[in-house]
Amino acid sequence: MSDNHLDSAVLAALQDVMEDEYPLLLDTFLADSAERLQGLRQCLQQADSHNLRLAAHSFKGSCSNMGARVLTDLCKQLEQAARLEQLGLAGVLIEQLELEFASVSSLLQEERCRY
């Protein structure tokens, strides 16, 4: 699974550490990420730059921990856009996050099926 979307070395390390709980970690990340994306969209709709920045920062950490490289980078960009109150750019970035999450989600579901 070594591609731009996920760092296979990070996933392998997580699998080693989590052992039997690894599938639960994948499930939790997928569910949590879907909720986080909904929260980002809600902050944008409310033009709440402050909470959008905080939510993007938190999601960035979660994505980084899972080795989701592109998601991490997009969250970093979104965090910066929110800091600068560039809500138009933030909307574009959230759309990109949603598309990238669809790819990551598919890959992680495949990974999940292996266990």
Side-chain angles (χ1 to χ4, degrees):
M1 187 183 310
S2 180
D3 61 19
N4 292 335
H5 301 286
L6 291 168
D7 185 332
S8 58
V10 171
L11 290 178
L14 288 171
Q15 183 183 1
D16 287 345
V17 170
M18 297 298 294
E19 297 178 345
D20 292 342
E21 297 298 313
Y22 180 66
L24 178 61
L25 175 68
L26 297 176
D27 292 343
T28 301
F29 175 75
L30 291 170
D32 181 65
S33 296
E35 289 178 21
R36 287 176 187 263
L37 285 168
Q38 183 178 5
L40 292 172
R41 179 71 62 196
Q42 207 168 28
C43 288
L44 180 64
Q45 288 171 350
Q46 296 169 354
D48 185 348
S49 296
H50 175 74
N51 283 321
L52 180 59
R53 181 181 60 79
L54 295 176
H57 178 78
S58 179
F59 192 26
K60 178 180 70 177
S62 179
C63 293
S64 178
N65 289 341
M66 292 298 293
R69 298 175 188 166
V70 177
L71 281 175
T72 301
D73 185 56
L74 288 168
C75 286
K76 181 178 179 181
Q77 292 177 51
L78 179 58
E79 184 180 7
Q80 181 65 18
R83 180 177 285 111
L84 298 174
E85 297 186 6
Q86 297 174 331
L87 295 180
L89 176 57
V92 170
L93 290 167
I94 290 172
E95 288 175 10
Q96 292 175 355
L97 274 164
E98 291 170 338
L99 289 172
E100 178 61 18
F101 178 67
S103 296
V104 168
S105 177
S106 178
L107 291 169
L108 289 179
Q109 288 172 5
E110 288 175 19
E111 176 81 356
R112 174 69 173 86
C113 287
R114 293 177 28 192
Y115 298 94

PDB file of all heavy atoms in Angstrom, residues 19-47:
ATOM      1  N   GLU A  19      -1.446  -4.515  17.510  1.00  0.00           N
ATOM      2  CA  GLU A  19      -1.701  -5.950  17.412  1.00  0.00           C
ATOM      3  C   GLU A  19      -3.166  -6.242  17.086  1.00  0.00           C
ATOM      4  O   GLU A  19      -3.655  -5.810  16.056  1.00  0.00           O
ATOM      5  CB  GLU A  19      -1.238  -6.665  18.687  1.00  0.00           C
ATOM      6  CG  GLU A  19       0.257  -6.543  18.898  1.00  0.00           C
ATOM      7  CD  GLU A  19       0.742  -7.196  20.173  1.00  0.00           C
ATOM      8  OE1 GLU A  19      -0.096  -7.514  21.047  1.00  0.00           O
ATOM      9  OE2 GLU A  19       1.967  -7.386  20.293  1.00  0.00           O
ATOM     10  N   ASP A  20      -3.880  -6.936  17.963  1.00  0.00           N
ATOM     11  CA  ASP A  20      -5.267  -7.328  17.693  1.00  0.00           C
ATOM     12  C   ASP A  20      -6.225  -6.142  17.629  1.00  0.00           C
ATOM     13  O   ASP A  20      -7.341  -6.272  17.110  1.00  0.00           O
ATOM     14  CB  ASP A  20      -5.767  -8.315  18.757  1.00  0.00           C
ATOM     15  CG  ASP A  20      -5.064  -9.657  18.662  1.00  0.00           C
ATOM     16  OD1 ASP A  20      -4.462  -9.957  17.603  1.00  0.00           O
ATOM     17  OD2 ASP A  20      -5.108 -10.420  19.652  1.00  0.00           O
ATOM     18  N   GLU A  21      -5.815  -5.009  18.164  1.00  0.00           N
ATOM     19  CA  GLU A  21      -6.666  -3.817  18.171  1.00  0.00           C
ATOM     20  C   GLU A  21      -6.509  -2.982  16.896  1.00  0.00           C
ATOM     21  O   GLU A  21      -7.183  -1.971  16.732  1.00  0.00           O
ATOM     22  CB  GLU A  21      -6.350  -2.947  19.395  1.00  0.00           C
ATOM     23  CG  GLU A  21      -6.643  -3.620  20.726  1.00  0.00           C
ATOM     24  CD  GLU A  21      -8.115  -3.972  20.894  1.00  0.00           C
ATOM     25  OE1 GLU A  21      -8.963  -3.095  20.623  1.00  0.00           O
ATOM     26  OE2 GLU A  21      -8.409  -5.121  21.298  1.00  0.00           O
ATOM     27  N   TYR A  22      -5.624  -3.409  16.009  1.00  0.00           N
ATOM     28  CA  TYR A  22      -5.375  -2.657  14.775  1.00  0.00           C
ATOM     29  C   TYR A  22      -6.645  -2.447  13.945  1.00  0.00           C
ATOM     30  O   TYR A  22      -6.917  -1.316  13.512  1.00  0.00           O
ATOM     31  CB  TYR A  22      -4.278  -3.355  13.963  1.00  0.00           C
ATOM     32  CG  TYR A  22      -3.929  -2.699  12.666  1.00  0.00           C
ATOM     33  CD1 TYR A  22      -3.342  -1.436  12.633  1.00  0.00           C
ATOM     34  CD2 TYR A  22      -4.154  -3.346  11.459  1.00  0.00           C
ATOM     35  CE1 TYR A  22      -2.997  -0.834  11.426  1.00  0.00           C
ATOM     36  CE2 TYR A  22      -3.814  -2.757  10.247  1.00  0.00           C
ATOM     37  CZ  TYR A  22      -3.241  -1.505  10.241  1.00  0.00           C
ATOM     38  OH  TYR A  22      -2.901  -0.919   9.043  1.00  0.00           O
ATOM     39  N   PRO A  23      -7.470  -3.478  13.719  1.00  0.00           N
ATOM     40  CA  PRO A  23      -8.702  -3.242  12.955  1.00  0.00           C
ATOM     41  C   PRO A  23      -9.612  -2.203  13.628  1.00  0.00           C
ATOM     42  O   PRO A  23     -10.231  -1.386  12.940  1.00  0.00           O
ATOM     43  CB  PRO A  23      -9.376  -4.619  12.913  1.00  0.00           C
ATOM     44  CG  PRO A  23      -8.249  -5.581  13.071  1.00  0.00           C
ATOM     45  CD  PRO A  23      -7.289  -4.909  14.015  1.00  0.00           C
ATOM     46  N   LEU A  24      -9.669  -2.223  14.949  1.00  0.00           N
ATOM     47  CA  LEU A  24     -10.478  -1.234  15.668  1.00  0.00           C
ATOM     48  C   LEU A  24      -9.924   0.175  15.447  1.00  0.00           C
ATOM     49  O   LEU A  24     -10.683   1.132  15.282  1.00  0.00           O
ATOM     50  CB  LEU A  24     -10.523  -1.559  17.164  1.00  0.00           C
ATOM     51  CG  LEU A  24     -11.293  -0.579  18.040  1.00  0.00           C
ATOM     52  CD1 LEU A  24     -12.753  -0.502  17.623  1.00  0.00           C
ATOM     53  CD2 LEU A  24     -11.172  -0.979  19.507  1.00  0.00           C
ATOM     54  N   LEU A  25      -8.599   0.300  15.423  1.00  0.00           N
ATOM     55  CA  LEU A  25      -7.974   1.591  15.147  1.00  0.00           C
ATOM     56  C   LEU A  25      -8.391   2.102  13.770  1.00  0.00           C
ATOM     57  O   LEU A  25      -8.744   3.282  13.617  1.00  0.00           O
ATOM     58  CB  LEU A  25      -6.448   1.474  15.228  1.00  0.00           C
ATOM     59  CG  LEU A  25      -5.665   2.726  14.840  1.00  0.00           C
ATOM     60  CD1 LEU A  25      -5.882   3.840  15.862  1.00  0.00           C
ATOM     61  CD2 LEU A  25      -4.190   2.397  14.701  1.00  0.00           C
ATOM     62  N   LEU A  26      -8.362   1.235  12.777  1.00  0.00           N
ATOM     63  CA  LEU A  26      -8.775   1.634  11.430  1.00  0.00           C
ATOM     64  C   LEU A  26     -10.235   2.073  11.415  1.00  0.00           C
ATOM     65  O   LEU A  26     -10.569   3.128  10.848  1.00  0.00           O
ATOM     66  CB  LEU A  26      -8.559   0.481  10.448  1.00  0.00           C
ATOM     67  CG  LEU A  26      -7.119   0.007  10.249  1.00  0.00           C
ATOM     68  CD1 LEU A  26      -7.084  -1.199   9.321  1.00  0.00           C
ATOM     69  CD2 LEU A  26      -6.224   1.117   9.743  1.00  0.00           C
ATOM     70  N   ASP A  27     -11.098   1.288  12.051  1.00  0.00           N
ATOM     71  CA  ASP A  27     -12.523   1.623  12.113  1.00  0.00           C
ATOM     72  C   ASP A  27     -12.733   2.967  12.797  1.00  0.00           C
ATOM     73  O   ASP A  27     -13.543   3.791  12.346  1.00  0.00           O
ATOM     74  CB  ASP A  27     -13.301   0.547  12.874  1.00  0.00           C
ATOM     75  CG  ASP A  27     -13.354  -0.778  12.133  1.00  0.00           C
ATOM     76  OD1 ASP A  27     -13.076  -0.810  10.918  1.00  0.00           O
ATOM     77  OD2 ASP A  27     -13.657  -1.800  12.794  1.00  0.00           O
ATOM     78  N   THR A  28     -12.019   3.177  13.892  1.00  0.00           N
ATOM     79  CA  THR A  28     -12.160   4.410  14.654  1.00  0.00           C
ATOM     80  C   THR A  28     -11.706   5.613  13.835  1.00  0.00           C
ATOM     81  O   THR A  28     -12.382   6.649  13.811  1.00  0.00           O
ATOM     82  CB  THR A  28     -11.362   4.330  15.974  1.00  0.00           C
ATOM     83  OG1 THR A  28     -11.857   3.214  16.729  1.00  0.00           O
ATOM     84  CG2 THR A  28     -11.494   5.597  16.791  1.00  0.00           C
ATOM     85  N   PHE A  29     -10.577   5.476  13.158  1.00  0.00           N
ATOM     86  CA  PHE A  29     -10.088   6.574  12.333  1.00  0.00           C
ATOM     87  C   PHE A  29     -11.089   6.911  11.231  1.00  0.00           C
ATOM     88  O   PHE A  29     -11.370   8.092  10.982  1.00  0.00           O
ATOM     89  CB  PHE A  29      -8.727   6.242  11.713  1.00  0.00           C
ATOM     90  CG  PHE A  29      -8.246   7.301  10.767  1.00  0.00           C
ATOM     91  CD1 PHE A  29      -7.739   8.504  11.243  1.00  0.00           C
ATOM     92  CD2 PHE A  29      -8.319   7.112   9.396  1.00  0.00           C
ATOM     93  CE1 PHE A  29      -7.308   9.499  10.367  1.00  0.00           C
ATOM     94  CE2 PHE A  29      -7.893   8.096   8.513  1.00  0.00           C
ATOM     95  CZ  PHE A  29      -7.384   9.293   9.008  1.00  0.00           C
ATOM     96  N   LEU A  30     -11.636   5.898  10.579  1.00  0.00           N
ATOM     97  CA  LEU A  30     -12.590   6.139   9.496  1.00  0.00           C
ATOM     98  C   LEU A  30     -13.849   6.849  10.002  1.00  0.00           C
ATOM     99  O   LEU A  30     -14.294   7.830   9.404  1.00  0.00           O
ATOM    100  CB  LEU A  30     -12.954   4.823   8.806  1.00  0.00           C
ATOM    101  CG  LEU A  30     -11.829   4.194   7.992  1.00  0.00           C
ATOM    102  CD1 LEU A  30     -12.203   2.783   7.551  1.00  0.00           C
ATOM    103  CD2 LEU A  30     -11.478   5.064   6.795  1.00  0.00           C
ATOM    104  N   ALA A  31     -14.388   6.387  11.101  1.00  0.00           N
ATOM    105  CA  ALA A  31     -15.599   7.005  11.651  1.00  0.00           C
ATOM    106  C   ALA A  31     -15.307   8.421  12.155  1.00  0.00           C
ATOM    107  O   ALA A  31     -16.072   9.361  11.891  1.00  0.00           O
ATOM    108  CB  ALA A  31     -16.163   6.145  12.779  1.00  0.00           C
ATOM    109  N   ASP A  32     -14.203   8.562  12.866  1.00  0.00           N
ATOM    110  CA  ASP A  32     -13.830   9.862  13.414  1.00  0.00           C
ATOM    111  C   ASP A  32     -13.567  10.871  12.296  1.00  0.00           C
ATOM    112  O   ASP A  32     -13.985  12.031  12.384  1.00  0.00           O
ATOM    113  CB  ASP A  32     -12.591   9.698  14.295  1.00  0.00           C
ATOM    114  CG  ASP A  32     -12.141  10.999  14.919  1.00  0.00           C
ATOM    115  OD1 ASP A  32     -12.886  11.560  15.742  1.00  0.00           O
ATOM    116  OD2 ASP A  32     -11.029  11.467  14.571  1.00  0.00           O
ATOM    117  N   SER A  33     -12.919  10.441  11.251  1.00  0.00           N
ATOM    118  CA  SER A  33     -12.601  11.337  10.140  1.00  0.00           C
ATOM    119  C   SER A  33     -13.861  11.827   9.445  1.00  0.00           C
ATOM    120  O   SER A  33     -13.944  13.004   9.058  1.00  0.00           O
ATOM    121  CB  SER A  33     -11.689  10.644   9.137  1.00  0.00           C
ATOM    122  OG  SER A  33     -10.447  10.349   9.736  1.00  0.00           O
ATOM    123  N   ALA A  34     -14.820  10.942   9.265  1.00  0.00           N
ATOM    124  CA  ALA A  34     -16.082  11.350   8.640  1.00  0.00           C
ATOM    125  C   ALA A  34     -16.759  12.432   9.485  1.00  0.00           C
ATOM    126  O   ALA A  34     -17.273  13.426   8.944  1.00  0.00           O
ATOM    127  CB  ALA A  34     -16.996  10.135   8.471  1.00  0.00           C
ATOM    128  N   GLU A  35     -16.729  12.271  10.798  1.00  0.00           N
ATOM    129  CA  GLU A  35     -17.303  13.282  11.688  1.00  0.00           C
ATOM    130  C   GLU A  35     -16.510  14.584  11.627  1.00  0.00           C
ATOM    131  O   GLU A  35     -17.083  15.676  11.636  1.00  0.00           O
ATOM    132  CB  GLU A  35     -17.337  12.769  13.126  1.00  0.00           C
ATOM    133  CG  GLU A  35     -18.358  11.689  13.357  1.00  0.00           C
ATOM    134  CD  GLU A  35     -18.336  11.155  14.779  1.00  0.00           C
ATOM    135  OE1 GLU A  35     -17.828  11.846  15.690  1.00  0.00           O
ATOM    136  OE2 GLU A  35     -18.837  10.032  14.965  1.00  0.00           O
ATOM    137  N   ARG A  36     -15.202  14.477  11.572  1.00  0.00           N
ATOM    138  CA  ARG A  36     -14.361  15.672  11.501  1.00  0.00           C
ATOM    139  C   ARG A  36     -14.625  16.456  10.212  1.00  0.00           C
ATOM    140  O   ARG A  36     -14.671  17.686  10.223  1.00  0.00           O
ATOM    141  CB  ARG A  36     -12.886  15.294  11.596  1.00  0.00           C
ATOM    142  CG  ARG A  36     -12.465  14.870  12.987  1.00  0.00           C
ATOM    143  CD  ARG A  36     -11.009  14.422  12.958  1.00  0.00           C
ATOM    144  NE  ARG A  36     -10.575  13.841  14.206  1.00  0.00           N
ATOM    145  CZ  ARG A  36      -9.925  14.510  15.154  1.00  0.00           C
ATOM    146  NH1 ARG A  36      -9.658  15.790  15.009  1.00  0.00           N
ATOM    147  NH2 ARG A  36      -9.546  13.902  16.260  1.00  0.00           N
ATOM    148  N   LEU A  37     -14.782  15.754   9.111  1.00  0.00           N
ATOM    149  CA  LEU A  37     -15.083  16.430   7.846  1.00  0.00           C
ATOM    150  C   LEU A  37     -16.415  17.159   7.923  1.00  0.00           C
ATOM    151  O   LEU A  37     -16.541  18.284   7.432  1.00  0.00           O
ATOM    152  CB  LEU A  37     -15.081  15.426   6.693  1.00  0.00           C
ATOM    153  CG  LEU A  37     -13.698  14.969   6.246  1.00  0.00           C
ATOM    154  CD1 LEU A  37     -13.805  13.766   5.322  1.00  0.00           C
ATOM    155  CD2 LEU A  37     -12.947  16.106   5.569  1.00  0.00           C
ATOM    156  N   GLN A  38     -17.374  16.536   8.552  1.00  0.00           N
ATOM    157  CA  GLN A  38     -18.673  17.184   8.727  1.00  0.00           C
ATOM    158  C   GLN A  38     -18.512  18.440   9.594  1.00  0.00           C
ATOM    159  O   GLN A  38     -19.103  19.485   9.305  1.00  0.00           O
ATOM    160  CB  GLN A  38     -19.666  16.210   9.375  1.00  0.00           C
ATOM    161  CG  GLN A  38     -21.052  16.768   9.531  1.00  0.00           C
ATOM    162  CD  GLN A  38     -22.017  15.758  10.130  1.00  0.00           C
ATOM    163  OE1 GLN A  38     -21.628  14.650  10.512  1.00  0.00           O
ATOM    164  NE2 GLN A  38     -23.272  16.127  10.231  1.00  0.00           N
ATOM    165  N   GLY A  39     -17.703  18.360  10.631  1.00  0.00           N
ATOM    166  CA  GLY A  39     -17.449  19.510  11.492  1.00  0.00           C
ATOM    167  C   GLY A  39     -16.748  20.639  10.752  1.00  0.00           C
ATOM    168  O   GLY A  39     -17.068  21.819  10.971  1.00  0.00           O
ATOM    169  N   LEU A  40     -15.801  20.296   9.887  1.00  0.00           N
ATOM    170  CA  LEU A  40     -15.121  21.318   9.086  1.00  0.00           C
ATOM    171  C   LEU A  40     -16.120  22.040   8.188  1.00  0.00           C
ATOM    172  O   LEU A  40     -16.111  23.270   8.092  1.00  0.00           O
ATOM    173  CB  LEU A  40     -14.018  20.682   8.232  1.00  0.00           C
ATOM    174  CG  LEU A  40     -12.811  20.119   8.966  1.00  0.00           C
ATOM    175  CD1 LEU A  40     -11.915  19.352   8.005  1.00  0.00           C
ATOM    176  CD2 LEU A  40     -12.033  21.219   9.674  1.00  0.00           C
ATOM    177  N   ARG A  41     -16.974  21.268   7.545  1.00  0.00           N
ATOM    178  CA  ARG A  41     -17.987  21.847   6.659  1.00  0.00           C
ATOM    179  C   ARG A  41     -18.922  22.772   7.461  1.00  0.00           C
ATOM    180  O   ARG A  41     -19.276  23.853   7.002  1.00  0.00           O
ATOM    181  CB  ARG A  41     -18.758  20.708   5.985  1.00  0.00           C
ATOM    182  CG  ARG A  41     -19.850  21.109   5.068  1.00  0.00           C
ATOM    183  CD  ARG A  41     -19.488  21.714   3.771  1.00  0.00           C
ATOM    184  NE  ARG A  41     -18.718  20.888   2.873  1.00  0.00           N
ATOM    185  CZ  ARG A  41     -18.064  21.410   1.833  1.00  0.00           C
ATOM    186  NH1 ARG A  41     -18.110  22.689   1.580  1.00  0.00           N
ATOM    187  NH2 ARG A  41     -17.369  20.640   1.041  1.00  0.00           N
ATOM    188  N   GLN A  42     -19.284  22.348   8.656  1.00  0.00           N
ATOM    189  CA  GLN A  42     -20.164  23.148   9.506  1.00  0.00           C
ATOM    190  C   GLN A  42     -19.502  24.470   9.902  1.00  0.00           C
ATOM    191  O   GLN A  42     -20.131  25.523   9.854  1.00  0.00           O
ATOM    192  CB  GLN A  42     -20.523  22.346  10.755  1.00  0.00           C
ATOM    193  CG  GLN A  42     -21.818  22.693  11.388  1.00  0.00           C
ATOM    194  CD  GLN A  42     -22.198  21.629  12.421  1.00  0.00           C
ATOM    195  OE1 GLN A  42     -21.346  20.964  13.008  1.00  0.00           O
ATOM    196  NE2 GLN A  42     -23.476  21.466  12.640  1.00  0.00           N
ATOM    197  N   CYS A  43     -18.238  24.418  10.281  1.00  0.00           N
ATOM    198  CA  CYS A  43     -17.505  25.647  10.623  1.00  0.00           C
ATOM    199  C   CYS A  43     -17.463  26.597   9.436  1.00  0.00           C
ATOM    200  O   CYS A  43     -17.622  27.815   9.601  1.00  0.00           O
ATOM    201  CB  CYS A  43     -16.083  25.325  11.077  1.00  0.00           C
ATOM    202  SG  CYS A  43     -15.963  24.569  12.705  1.00  0.00           S
ATOM    203  N   LEU A  44     -17.250  26.046   8.251  1.00  0.00           N
ATOM    204  CA  LEU A  44     -17.206  26.872   7.056  1.00  0.00           C
ATOM    205  C   LEU A  44     -18.569  27.518   6.814  1.00  0.00           C
ATOM    206  O   LEU A  44     -18.648  28.722   6.536  1.00  0.00           O
ATOM    207  CB  LEU A  44     -16.784  26.041   5.844  1.00  0.00           C
ATOM    208  CG  LEU A  44     -16.711  26.795   4.525  1.00  0.00           C
ATOM    209  CD1 LEU A  44     -15.625  27.882   4.578  1.00  0.00           C
ATOM    210  CD2 LEU A  44     -16.449  25.835   3.376  1.00  0.00           C
ATOM    211  N   GLN A  45     -19.632  26.742   6.933  1.00  0.00           N
ATOM    212  CA  GLN A  45     -20.975  27.278   6.708  1.00  0.00           C
ATOM    213  C   GLN A  45     -21.305  28.394   7.699  1.00  0.00           C
ATOM    214  O   GLN A  45     -22.035  29.329   7.370  1.00  0.00           O
ATOM    215  CB  GLN A  45     -22.018  26.159   6.805  1.00  0.00           C
ATOM    216  CG  GLN A  45     -21.976  25.209   5.634  1.00  0.00           C
ATOM    217  CD  GLN A  45     -22.853  23.980   5.828  1.00  0.00           C
ATOM    218  OE1 GLN A  45     -23.367  23.717   6.914  1.00  0.00           O
ATOM    219  NE2 GLN A  45     -23.023  23.206   4.763  1.00  0.00           N
ATOM    220  N   GLN A  46     -20.747  28.295   8.898  1.00  0.00           N
ATOM    221  CA  GLN A  46     -20.986  29.318   9.920  1.00  0.00           C
ATOM    222  C   GLN A  46     -19.952  30.444   9.854  1.00  0.00           C
ATOM    223  O   GLN A  46     -19.982  31.345  10.683  1.00  0.00           O
ATOM    224  CB  GLN A  46     -20.962  28.672  11.313  1.00  0.00           C
ATOM    225  CG  GLN A  46     -22.069  27.665  11.513  1.00  0.00           C
ATOM    226  CD  GLN A  46     -21.897  26.833  12.782  1.00  0.00           C
ATOM    227  OE1 GLN A  46     -20.892  26.927  13.481  1.00  0.00           O
ATOM    228  NE2 GLN A  46     -22.898  26.009  13.065  1.00  0.00           N
ATOM    229  N   ALA A  47     -19.049  30.374   8.875  1.00  0.00           N
ATOM    230  CA  ALA A  47     -17.968  31.360   8.715  1.00  0.00           C
ATOM    231  C   ALA A  47     -17.187  31.525  10.020  1.00  0.00           C
ATOM    232  O   ALA A  47     -16.807  32.623  10.400  1.00  0.00           O
ATOM    233  CB  ALA A  47     -18.524  32.697   8.218  1.00  0.00           C
TER     234      ALA A  47
END
